[in-house]
Amino acid sequence: MEGTLKKLAATAVVSTAAVALLAGCGGQTSSSNAAGGTGNGASNNAVQTSSSSNPPLTILAEESSSWTDNFNPYAVANLQTPNGTIYEPLFYFSTTSSKVYNLLGTAMQWSNDNKTLTVTVRDGVKWNDGQPFSAKDVVFTYNLLKQYPSLDTQAVWKALSDVKQVGSNQVEFDFKSVQVPFSQIVVGAVPIVPEHIWSKIQGDPSKWTDPNPVGTGPYMLDKFNAQTYTLKANPNYWGGTPAVPELIYPAISSAQAANLQLTSGKLDWADEFLQNIDKLYVSKDPTNRHYFFPPVADLNLVPNLKNPLLANTAVRQAMSLAIDRQQIDNVGEFGYEKPSNPSGLVLPNEQDWLKPGLSTTFTVDIAKANALLDQAGFKKGADGIRVSPSGQKLSFNLIAPNGWTDWNEDETLIAQDLKQIGIQINVQEPQQTDWSNALLNHQFDLALESGLFAGNTPYQGFRNTLYPGMQQNYEQYDNSVVAKALDQFASTTDPSTQKQAMYTVEAQFEKDLPVIPLVYAAEWSQYSTKDYTGWPDASNPYVDPSPATAFADAIVLMNLKPAH
Amino acid sequence: MSDQPQAPVQPAASQPALPQKIRRPRPQWLQTLARVFREPKALIGFIILALFILIAIFAPLLATHDPMQEGALPPLQPPSKQFLFGTTGYGDDVFTQWVYATRTSLSIGFQVAVIATALSVILGVYSGFKGGKVDAVVNWVTQVMLVLPGYPLIIMISSYIPNAGSEAIVWVLGLTSWPGAARMKRAQAMTYRTRDFVLAAKLGGFSDFRNMLAEVFPNMMSLVFNTFISMISWGIFGEAFLRFLGIGSTHTPSWGNMLNQAQNGNALMQGAWWWFIPPGLSITLVILSLTLINYGIDEVSNPRLQKPLKLPKALRRKLQAAAGEEGM
Amino acid sequence: MYYIKKLGNFILLVWVAITLNFLLPHLMPGNPMEALVAKSQGKIDPVVMHALALQFGINNKPLWQKYIDYMTQLLHGNLGVSITYYPVHVSTIIGQSLPWTIILVGVTTVLAFLIGTLIGIVAAWRRNKLFDSLMGPLWMFMGSVPQFWLALLLLYYFGFQLGWFPQMHSYSAGDAPSFTWRFLGDAVWHSILPGFALLITTIGGWMLAMRNNMIQVVSDDFVAFAKARGLRPWTVMMSYAARNAVLPSVTQFAIALGYAVGGQILIEEIFSYPGIGYQLSQAVISQDYPLMQGIFLIIAVVMLFVNFAVDILYARMDPRVGTEEASA
């Protein structure tokens, strides 16, 4: 796989032409051109000849009770994110495939022992107010983030030492140390803003609401009110005019309200969790209504390794053997989240990184679990709960955030499973904030938590959960072999070295079970092919299919073609 | 309370002109209760409430399935002989959940009522009767509490309590719901401060505390009972509200939790009315029964609400004549 | 003198409410960044916490310092910047949601008061006749239905199944607020389901209160005289009896209007109605201190003002109050 940056820079440069080509490949999904459909919307019967007469798309990305006139791309809490549609980064690294998209950048080149990255900036790009875009805007943007740390929401200046222009169309990024994987964040997650606008802001730009956003993306703000805002196609877009002329974003305050809208056919693209989706959503218009729930991370049972009982590998192995993951998928997650595998990788996305010979399935084996615990000296007490040789009961609290109903259901299932091997689980559902605090402060026995949805190599996920001192290393795992392998991965652009490093981590993970993977956390996405085709799906998962994923949403939109 | 020693003096004769309610009535609340039962609306209320209380008490006997067995049954089955109220989308028996929920919700309602009523009586009666600085402080706190928006305040307080179980919800609801009732009691207690029989007791050298218990409190029994009944309603509504919003543990079966689960499981969208209707209808019926009971008490204990005596014809004619003479 | 005292009390209470507003959220566990990271379900990297802390101005200043800052800002009319909608000003958010709440909740409160009071008047006048025996139980039942449960039933049946009414929002997408008949009609159309749920469940309270007051007045001498004088029953009912009986209800009505400013959390959420109640509950859940404080402040001040106004009104109508309650 062409997963390393160096190779990407040299060969796998996906041009816009290639994007269009990919969309063509994706066209095999457009077997659903049957005209008529259920006739849910009246406006769709017209024959589309030009792009401007194509119907709009109604999109639900985030639930919100109302919109505010705020399009600042650096406002983290901003629900109506303009990232992707209005503002673009240099590149986009897909998290569901190994694809890299060239946006405002066209090439990357490593030098200086992998400490300097030179990016070539796209020519002929215009801001949506007609002003020309150049490498100067890129340098301005990064220096703005340096000047105002409150804008640096990806913490890129933790790794960077300097960003400067080279020649007329190149930008050089100097890193403090070798951090090859992190460069994906540096050049792939920072929206570029226009110098001619942002240099004139008085004071801290993070406090500016940017009501009339000027970006380079395929869309620009059209109409705004607190209930609905619309984006229209940017006529100056460097990648050509998008097929969808208008995007409508209604504010919907709750998941239930959103589910109603979705099943009523009033949303064309959404990312809702919906039970029995085949019956409730798809069955009402099977030719046009689809969903795609790709796995993006592991949902883990996180043990606190500072707890002496949970620090015992035998206990963790026994737990893992006793948990019926298929049942968690079927009952807790409605069959949407397949069981995880023992390597810690998200398969099939990361299949190429899998160490040959590692097992790819967990099996339920109560007898073996009991045997493991017996061997380790945990004897069953009168109440059926095992007791350690030093007299401590195998009884733990398990926390998951209140109101995350699928996880709450999972908790109960886990408790039932572990009861069979003499481990008592007290199910608790604190408020989200308390759960998150308990994790951050390591004040828990067992917790449910999914990894971050990030990175197009397994590196970032593993580093987050396993590297000592990382904030997401909630279990406090500290294994020098793993840490060394991760460092090795980060310091090289050579694919075979990176693979070897990953194999080491996977083998250690399987042996130690620092966290117990349960099922793959899925990304939700529902879409209608009534008007447009070319959506990411299982046969072509080119990017994350959720409309809420920043930057990926615009790539999906640029891949859409009229269905008629 | 009727066992309390009678007040030493009762100078009823000194105020013959005033209507009977100002004259110190005897603590006759038992008698009142008997009259309440004769009021048909109240009787219906008592019957409905009793039915629910019986269900709550005998929940384990009535339950047809194991309430703790998650996902064991086929999901979304309509009501049948096997599943009286059908099953949920998570494969639980609705009837079983409902009988246990009845137990939880009613007990939350009663506990909230005990806390809130006790607080409102203690604070309201004491400050109203006592007056002065104590009164000023209590009245102040009451006023501030009254202007803070109730439900948001409750949500906020609930977030202090991680993994809020039923007890936490009881305390949150109980501690936030007394001010209105306390204000009413204070107003009434204030009117007793200067009543003759109370003044007499004071002159007789009895302590304030004794006077309150012996003289004031018995006279406020109907108001206290009224508060208690209203607070049960408040507790049941409040529980449903909080749990519906997803606050507090979702593992205890309660009406609010059932509604929350039904809503999260898109019960109505899937046509599973049997999952959504029972808890909501139960809340409605219990609140209705409490309203009817309160209505009955009011009707009986408030003399001015009593059914008017038909004036004798002669008297009516006389009145008519008098009015005529007065001139149009 | 009485008015000055009342005004002083009012100002003091406003200050206490503001201080409480400030203190309550700061005593909550956790902070908005953690709430945000938790809420993102893994989509916000904890690495960004530093930038978030800078954006939200979270710092370790001592509480008293923050209090002084808060009060200074408030005196300048600055309610701060919301966290949920960062960097939008709290006043902007309140400005865009309060009008919708006032329209929906305000109008239904007025309607419920008018309809309920009217039914109460007639029911009391025709006490124990058919109208009374039908209306009493009917509205008691309606008042016992949990509002959000009814709202959901209405939404699923009339909004989703039948599709007769819009499922959400206060006006159609693609429209902009304007004073045209078309827009107003559209807005009314959108408010029918939520309005109906609010109206139908609140009429009962007004009706019962009015009926009770009315029955007490009806038995008063002057009504008997008016009747005896042979005035038309309608005139006696409306101009003599109802006019006097409505006074306590008007007080309650003023307070209810004050509460209306706080919005209706669940109704607004269920119908994605862009009002203030839902904003407030969201602010509480995501620990958006500035937004929470801003909305609490508005509600508290409006409520205190309403109470103040009612007190003043009472004093003007009943001079005895001025002396009797001066100690309060």
Side-chain angles (χ1 to χ4, degrees):
Chain A
M1 163 172 143
E2 64 283 75
T4 71
L5 291 175
K6 189 171 182 183
K7 197 157 181 195
L8 281 170
T11 61
V13 175
V14 185
S15 70
T16 27
V19 172
L21 232 146
L22 275 167
C25 298
Q28 57 199 301
T29 57
S30 60
S31 57
S32 49
N33 281 352
T38 54
N40 261 335
S43 64
N44 306 312
N45 302 329
V47 181
Q48 281 98 30
T49 45
S50 74
S51 142
S52 60
S53 66
N54 286 342
L57 274 187
T58 304
I59 302 173
L60 174 70
E62 292 283 354
E63 284 138 24
S64 171
S65 54
S66 64
W67 302 126
T68 49
D69 211 349
N70 170 20
F71 292 91
N72 188 324
Y74 301 110
V76 181
N78 200 344
L79 294 171
Q80 59 220 64
T81 173
N83 285 334
T85 47
I86 297 175
Y87 290 102
E88 293 180 303
L90 293 166
F91 300 92
Y92 182 71
F93 299 84
S94 170
T95 53
T96 52
S97 71
S98 54
K99 294 195 177 76
V100 175
Y101 291 86
N102 293 342
L103 298 170
L104 291 175
T106 54
M108 283 179 272
Q109 185 65 51
W110 283 101
S111 59
N112 184 22
D113 292 330
N114 295 334
K115 281 174 77 177
T116 299
L117 180 65
T118 309
V119 169
T120 308
V121 168
R122 187 178 295 278
D123 282 329
V125 176
K126 277 186 177 158
W127 297 100
N128 66 30
D129 63 353
Q131 299 273 337
F133 156 89
S134 76
K136 271 180 70 190
D137 290 305
V138 178
V139 175
F140 167 79
T141 298
Y142 283 91
N143 283 323
L144 192 69
L145 266 52
K146 188 182 188 180
Q147 192 187 348
Y148 296 101
S150 58
L151 295 177
D152 191 3
T153 52
Q154 303 292 343
V156 296
W157 282 98
K158 256 185 172 172
L160 289 174
S161 62
D162 195 18
V163 174
K164 54 180 180 280
Q165 190 169 346
V166 186
S168 65
N169 67 342
Q170 286 192 317
V171 177
E172 187 182 295
F173 294 85
D174 293 319
F175 287 80
K176 288 174 183 159
S177 59
V178 186
Q179 297 185 44
V180 175
F182 188 69
S183 67
Q184 289 194 358
I185 303 286
V186 174
V187 297
V190 173
I192 307 298
V193 294
E195 181 174 12
H196 67 275
I197 307 257
W198 285 67
S199 61
K200 292 185 189 118
I201 300 168
Q202 304 287 318
D204 184 349
S206 80
K207 297 206 183 325
W208 184 51
T209 54
D210 194 13
N212 300 303
V214 173
T216 56
Y219 290 90
M220 50 203 283
L221 185 61
D222 187 16
K223 281 178 273 183
F224 176 87
N225 69 52
Q227 281 186 170
T228 315
Y229 70 92
T230 57
L231 302 182
K232 62 181 179 197
N234 171 6
N236 293 330
Y237 189 52
W238 54 266
T241 314
V244 187
E246 189 186 12
L247 309 176
I248 301 170
Y249 293 87
I252 302 179
S253 57
S254 68
Q256 278 66 41
N259 287 346
L260 273 188
Q261 292 283 305
L262 185 65
T263 49
S264 309
K266 289 178 179 146
L267 295 172
D268 301 308
W269 190 17
D271 60 340
E272 281 302 302
F273 174 77
L274 182 61
Q275 298 96 332
N276 301 334
I277 189 166
D278 286 312
K279 181 185 158 214
L280 286 180
Y281 174 69
V282 178
S283 72
K284 293 190 178 149
D285 183 4
T287 41
N288 291 323
R289 292 189 182 184
H290 307 275
Y291 62 91
F292 176 38
F293 296 162
V296 282
D298 267 325
L299 168 61
N300 293 319
L301 177 61
V302 182
N304 187 343
L305 299 178
K306 293 285 186 254
N307 178 318
L309 297 173
L310 292 169
N312 188 327
T313 315
V315 173
R316 300 200 299 275
Q317 294 284 7
M319 284 178 160
S320 178
L321 282 167
I323 293 172
D324 185 349
R325 294 175 171 79
Q326 193 58 53
Q327 171 130 350
I328 292 182
D329 175 27
N330 291 346
V331 177
E333 305 291 347
F334 294 87
Y336 301 157
E337 303 192 331
K338 299 284 158 253
S340 299
N341 74 88
S343 69
L345 295 176
V346 177
L347 301 178
N349 311 11
E350 298 170 338
Q351 188 74 47
D352 294 346
W353 297 93
L354 182 67
K355 183 181 180 183
L358 275 190
S359 101
T360 53
T361 46
F362 282 112
T363 41
V364 186
D365 192 340
I366 303 289
K368 198 174 161 197
N370 274 318
L372 266 177
L373 291 171
D374 288 340
Q375 276 166 27
F378 297 99
K379 300 231 158 44
K380 270 193 183 168
D383 53 357
I385 299 162
R386 287 177 186 272
V387 179
S388 79
S390 62
Q392 285 165 292
K393 265 193 180 181
L394 285 191
S395 169
F396 307 105
N397 293 333
L398 169 61
I399 56 170
N402 190 315
W404 296 18
T405 47
D406 51 338
W407 287 20
N408 298 154
E409 201 72 21
D410 297 344
E411 282 185 290
T412 317
L413 294 171
I414 292 169
Q416 284 170 9
D417 287 340
L418 295 185
K419 204 174 156 193
Q420 297 177 54
I421 57 166
I423 295 176
Q424 186 183 38
I425 299 295
N426 311 312
V427 170
Q428 296 189 338
E429 293 158 14
Q431 295 296 311
Q432 275 177 31
T433 322
D434 301 316
W435 162 80
S436 152
N437 282 346
L439 284 170
L440 289 170
N441 300 319
H442 312 293
Q443 286 160 345
F444 65 97
D445 297 337
L446 289 166
L448 288 188
E449 161 65 327
S450 71
L452 286 176
F453 299 2
N456 81 339
T457 72
Y459 168 82
Q460 203 64 45
F462 275 133
R463 185 174 142 87
N464 283 336
T465 26
L466 306 180
Y467 202 85
M470 287 299 282
Q471 203 154 19
Q472 288 232 314
N473 186 350
Y474 303 124
E475 73 281 3
Q476 294 168 285
Y477 183 59
D478 189 352
N479 179 337
S480 57
V481 179
V482 170
K484 231 178 94 188
L486 287 170
D487 287 340
Q488 196 186 10
F489 183 102
S491 65
T492 181
T493 54
D494 173 47
S496 63
T497 317
Q498 288 192 328
K499 266 191 181 164
Q500 285 309 318
M502 243 346 89
Y503 292 168
T504 312
V505 177
E506 289 159 28
Q508 290 289 320
F509 185 91
E510 190 187 28
K511 185 167 77 69
D512 277 0
L513 269 179
V515 295
I516 303 169
L518 300 171
V519 292
Y520 296 126
E523 185 70 281
W524 314 126
S525 73
Q526 296 86 12
Y527 56 92
S528 162
T529 51
K530 192 171 53 165
D531 299 322
Y532 298 98
T533 56
W535 304 92
D537 58 20
S539 66
N540 183 19
Y542 53 96
V543 289
D544 187 317
S546 160
T549 305
F551 308 123
D553 59 343
I555 289 168
V556 172
L557 288 167
M558 286 309 290
N559 271 289
L560 297 183
K561 293 181 309 175
H564 304 287
Chain B
M1 280 297 126
S2 53
D3 297 335
Q4 292 289 329
Q6 291 292 307
V9 206
Q10 196 198 355
S14 68
Q15 298 217 355
L18 287 175
Q20 82 214 60
K21 72 164 185 171
I22 306 256
R23 199 179 62 219
R24 187 197 165 231
R26 286 187 309 275
Q28 52 185 348
W29 63 278
L30 256 181
Q31 225 178 312
T32 310
L33 204 65
R35 275 162 59 209
V36 170
F37 272 110
R38 256 178 269 141
E39 186 68 33
K41 287 196 185 98
L43 189 63
I44 295 172
F46 275 115
I47 291 173
I48 299 176
L49 186 64
L51 215 66
F52 274 94
I53 291 176
L54 285 178
I55 292 171
I57 292 174
F58 296 109
L61 297 178
L62 292 170
T64 51
H65 292 79
D66 179 359
M68 280 307 152
Q69 205 56 46
E70 292 267 352
L73 308 173
L76 293 179
Q77 296 296 306
S80 64
K81 252 191 190 150
Q82 196 191 354
F83 311 114
L84 292 176
F85 287 5
T87 63
T88 70
Y90 302 101
D92 305 311
D93 180 55
V94 177
F95 181 77
T96 304
Q97 273 195 351
W98 175 73
V99 293
Y100 279 99
T102 304
R103 186 177 249 204
T104 316
S105 293
L106 280 190
S107 83
I108 287 180
F110 275 101
Q111 292 174 61
V112 169
V114 169
I115 296 172
T117 310
L119 277 173
S120 73
V121 168
I122 294 166
L123 293 170
V125 174
Y126 185 73
S127 70
F129 182 72
K130 187 96 176 157
K133 276 194 185 122
V134 180
D135 182 35
V137 171
V138 172
N139 186 34
W140 241 65
V141 175
T142 314
Q143 286 195 49
V144 173
M145 288 283 288
L146 276 174
V147 300
L148 291 175
Y151 281 132
L153 184 72
I154 290 168
I155 300 175
M156 195 150 128
I157 298 175
S158 307
S159 68
Y160 285 91
I161 310 158
N163 206 31
S166 295
E167 303 79 27
I169 286 187
V170 164
W171 282 105
V172 169
L173 289 173
L175 291 177
T176 49
S177 50
W178 56 270
R183 191 158 78 162
M184 256 158 50
K185 295 206 179 48
R186 173 179 169 269
Q188 207 183 22
M190 267 166 67
T191 66
Y192 286 105
R193 217 190 301 168
T194 50
R195 296 266 178 96
D196 295 339
F197 63 90
V198 173
L199 287 178
K202 270 190 182 168
L203 286 176
F206 292 108
S207 75
D208 279 346
F209 186 67
R210 187 227 159 255
N211 285 338
M212 259 182 284
L213 269 187
E215 311 294 333
V216 180
F217 189 64
N219 283 304
M220 294 176 67
M221 270 318 283
S222 77
L223 184 60
V224 171
F225 197 67
N226 209 299
T227 304
F228 186 75
I229 296 286
S230 318
M231 286 300 149
I232 300 177
S233 308
W234 165 257
I236 289 173
F237 264 147
E239 189 272 345
F241 171 86
L242 283 179
R243 288 263 167 80
F244 183 76
L245 271 180
I247 289 165
S249 164
T250 52
H251 278 271
T252 337
S254 76
W255 290 335
N257 263 344
M258 286 179 77
L259 286 173
N260 173 282
Q261 278 192 11
Q263 174 67 353
N264 280 329
N266 290 316
L268 286 176
M269 218 162 88
Q270 311 198 51
W273 53 268
W274 57 85
W275 187 7
F276 189 79
I277 298 289
L281 199 59
S282 305
I283 295 174
T284 309
L285 286 177
V286 170
I287 304 286
L288 176 67
S289 73
L290 295 166
T291 314
L292 286 170
I293 293 170
N294 245 351
Y295 180 86
I297 296 172
D298 229 31
E299 201 93 325
V300 168
S301 66
N302 188 341
R304 302 193 67 187
L305 283 182
Q306 254 138 57
K307 287 178 190 150
L309 297 164
K310 277 253 159 132
L311 290 173
K313 246 192 186 137
L315 189 59
R316 261 192 298 180
R317 219 172 279 141
K318 220 165 130 191
L319 273 169
Q320 225 155 3
E325 262 167 47
E326 209 180 299
M328 301 294 283
Chain C
M1 190 55 206
Y2 170 72
Y3 296 115
I4 293 169
K5 223 171 178 174
K6 274 279 163 197
L7 188 67
N9 195 42
F10 170 69
I11 290 166
L12 211 61
L13 277 172
V14 169
W15 173 72
V16 172
I18 291 172
T19 306
L20 260 179
N21 268 352
F22 168 81
L23 279 178
L24 278 175
H26 280 94
L27 296 175
M28 280 171 86
N31 65 47
M33 293 186 303
E34 286 160 356
L36 191 68
V37 171
K39 202 171 129 189
S40 79
Q41 308 201 5
K43 285 180 189 160
I44 294 181
D45 196 312
V47 172
V48 309
M49 291 264 232
H50 178 63
L52 279 174
L54 290 171
Q55 287 196 356
F56 301 161
I58 290 164
N59 48 45
N60 295 321
K61 275 190 199 168
L63 200 59
W64 61 266
Q65 181 74 53
K66 285 184 186 168
Y67 180 61
I68 292 173
D69 291 352
Y70 175 67
M71 291 305 264
T72 324
Q73 291 295 310
L74 213 55
L75 286 177
H76 290 93
N78 185 351
L79 293 173
V81 171
S82 159
I83 287 171
T84 324
Y85 300 101
Y86 188 88
V88 178
H89 280 268
V90 168
S91 43
T92 312
I93 295 160
I94 294 179
Q96 82 184 24
S97 31
L98 194 56
W100 289 110
T101 285
I102 291 175
I103 289 170
L104 177 68
V105 188
V107 169
T108 47
T109 307
V110 173
L111 280 178
F113 170 73
L114 291 178
I115 298 174
T117 304
L118 196 68
I119 297 176
I121 293 173
V122 178
W125 195 253
R126 331 211 79 229
R127 193 176 180 197
N128 296 326
K129 300 268 170 55
L130 184 69
F131 182 81
D132 184 30
S133 350
L134 278 182
M135 285 297 145
L138 173 71
W139 292 110
M140 262 187 231
F141 180 82
M142 286 304 177
S144 308
V145 178
Q147 232 165 41
F148 64 90
W149 185 69
L150 178 67
L152 283 168
L153 285 175
L154 292 174
L155 170 65
Y156 280 98
Y157 194 67
F158 293 106
F160 180 66
Q161 290 277 349
L162 299 174
W164 289 356
F165 295 96
Q167 294 172 5
M168 60 173 196
H169 285 173
S170 57
Y171 54 89
S172 297
D175 215 336
S178 61
F179 280 102
T180 60
W181 285 113
R182 197 182 48 76
F183 175 78
L184 291 177
D186 187 48
V188 168
W189 188 238
H190 277 76
S191 65
I192 285 182
L193 285 185
F196 188 71
L198 285 173
L199 189 63
I200 214 93
T201 48
T202 46
I203 285 179
W206 298 117
M207 185 224 140
L208 286 181
M210 188 60 198
R211 182 180 174 277
N212 270 6
N213 296 336
M214 184 78 177
I215 285 172
Q216 300 184 31
V217 173
V218 167
S219 63
D220 270 342
D221 298 342
F222 71 94
V223 175
F225 268 113
K227 270 192 199 172
R229 267 161 62 181
L231 292 179
R232 277 174 43 223
W234 178 261
T235 317
V236 180
M237 179 174 87
M238 295 312 274
S239 336
Y240 283 74
R243 201 191 220 171
N244 287 285
V246 83
L247 209 63
S249 280
V250 168
T251 317
Q252 282 303 311
F253 176 60
I255 291 170
L257 276 182
Y259 272 122
V261 174
Q264 288 288 341
I265 295 172
L266 288 179
I267 298 289
E268 288 174 11
E269 178 184 341
I270 287 166
F271 292 98
S272 291
Y273 203 86
I276 208 153
Y278 185 62
Q279 293 284 15
L280 177 54
S281 75
Q282 282 307 294
V284 171
I285 287 164
S286 46
Q287 307 201 347
D288 187 345
Y289 303 158
L291 185 56
M292 211 189 318
Q293 287 166 339
I295 300 175
F296 263 61
L297 184 75
I298 301 248
I299 296 171
V301 170
V302 169
M303 284 302 297
L304 285 170
F305 180 76
V306 167
N307 278 325
F308 174 65
V310 166
D311 278 355
I312 297 291
L313 214 70
Y314 250 60
R316 295 204 54 164
M317 287 187 296
D318 187 354
R320 276 178 309 164
V321 178
T323 49
E324 203 176 284
E325 290 235 328
S327 63

